[in-house]
Amino acid sequence: MAKITFKNGPVTLIGNEVKVGDQAPDFKVLANDLSPVTLKDSEGKVRLFSVVPSLDTGVCDAQTRKFNEAAAELGENVVIYTVSMDLPFAQKRWCGAAGIEAVQTVSDHREASFGKAYGVLIEELRLLARAVFVVDTEGKVTYVEYVSEATNHPNYDAAIEAVKALTN
């Protein structure tokens, strides 16, 4: 299992670690309008899952904005999700204030389904650890980054290159 810290303190992750080559686990999260979102909803597209503890923090804000900017160069066959435990209403408000239109924010607050399926649910905080997953059109995981310190940025360039490799 990935070793993660939050503000330099060790935390326990719940769920199974996802590895490159695995079939992407299914999940059930909520869109900003409270409708369910599952892996099948984006079937046939390349998916980038940007996982953040909370959109109301500086690094999470920057991470979501970075992938929103990158979306323009990645094309229409790519879906980018930002997954957090924030309530759907808060996500919608945040997206409106931040001008986020190319990334779909989804909430894992109800069941922690994504967190458990991808091994990013922090037991002590009931937040998600920072991570990035890229899934190809067939549902295979092609890129994984569990950020070792939850307050650090992920490797944006590596994640974007992983998506580009699937769309060229």
Side-chain angles (χ1 to χ4, degrees), residues 2 22 24 35 44 54 62 69 90 106 138 143 149 158:
D22 289 351
S35 63
S54 176
E69 291 169 14
V106 291
E138 304 297 316
Y143 177 86
E149 166 51 49

Side-chain angles (χ1 to χ4, degrees), residues 68-144:
N68 188 65
E69 291 169 14
E73 66 183 86
L74 297 177
E76 294 192 16
N77 195 38
V78 177
V79 177
I80 301 175
Y81 293 100
T82 291
V83 186
S84 75
M85 289 296 231
D86 296 306
L87 293 174
F89 314 111
Q91 290 179 336
K92 184 176 182 176
R93 184 181 62 249
W94 182 88
C95 286
I100 302 298
E101 297 178 356
V103 169
Q104 181 178 353
T105 55
V106 291
S107 176
D108 200 22
H109 88 95
R110 183 185 288 167
E111 299 174 30
S113 170
F114 187 96
K116 292 172 189 171
Y118 286 75
V120 292
L121 179 60
I122 300 173
E123 182 176 36
E124 295 84 351
L125 303 171
R126 201 168 194 281
L127 293 173
L128 302 180
R130 188 173 317 283
V132 179
F133 303 95
V134 175
V135 176
D136 71 11
T137 57
E138 304 297 316
K140 184 186 286 187
V141 177
T142 64
Y143 177 86
V144 172

Side-chain angles (χ1 to χ4, degrees), residues 26-55:
D26 200 8
F27 55 84
K28 185 177 178 185
V29 293
L30 296 176
N32 293 170
D33 65 0
L34 302 179
S35 63
V37 176
T38 67
L39 186 66
K40 292 185 191 306
D41 292 326
S42 56
E43 198 169 47
K45 297 204 178 241
V46 173
R47 286 136 303 176
L48 185 147
F49 295 98
S50 170
V51 186
V52 301
S54 176
L55 290 169

Side-chain angles (χ1 to χ4, degrees), residues 148-165:
S148 61
E149 166 51 49
T151 60
N152 291 343
H153 290 268
N155 186 336
Y156 300 112
D157 293 337
I160 292 166
E161 288 304 314
V163 171
K164 287 181 178 177

